[in-house]
Amino acid sequence: RSFTSQTDGESRLARVLREKFPRASAIKVVDISGGCGAMYEIHIESEEFREKRTVQQHQMVNQALSEEIKHMHGLRIFTSTPKP
């Protein structure tokens, strides 16, 4: 599937993440449930994660998506900081 044909759920989550992580250099949201919106994989590269442990980074993402997560079965989160 090409990047331009994002599902509504992917677009919605990416929009929320862009609002919550304005310094993110990359945000990618993929519906890995076959398009039904039950499970997503999220990749975020952001300066906001610098100096934070992985668990703290994931907590930040979970907090940002707290309302959306209520309607999901699962979420895979991958976080990183931009390379200097």
Side-chain angles (χ1 to χ4, degrees), residues 3-76:
F3 232 13
T4 54
S5 63
Q6 276 194 316
T7 66
D8 289 344
E10 289 168 343
S11 300
R12 188 177 65 252
L13 293 180
R15 191 168 48 249
V16 170
L17 290 168
R18 275 192 297 275
E19 288 171 13
K20 304 284 185 175
F21 298 99
R23 296 168 63 197
S25 49
I27 294 176
K28 180 180 173 193
V29 179
V30 181
D31 185 334
I32 54 175
S33 62
C36 73
M39 189 158 177
Y40 291 91
E41 184 171 292
I42 294 173
H43 296 261
I44 304 176
E45 180 180 275
S46 180
E47 199 57 52
E48 281 112 323
F49 298 138
R50 196 166 303 285
E51 306 295 321
K52 292 190 168 47
R53 295 190 326 271
T54 303
V55 69
Q56 292 171 310
Q57 296 172 11
H58 289 202
Q59 286 169 339
M60 291 168 69
V61 175
N62 279 314
Q63 182 63 41
L65 295 175
S66 58
E67 279 305 306
E68 289 75 13
I69 287 174
K70 293 175 184 174
H71 308 289
M72 293 180 203
H73 292 289
L75 182 62
R76 284 192 210 154

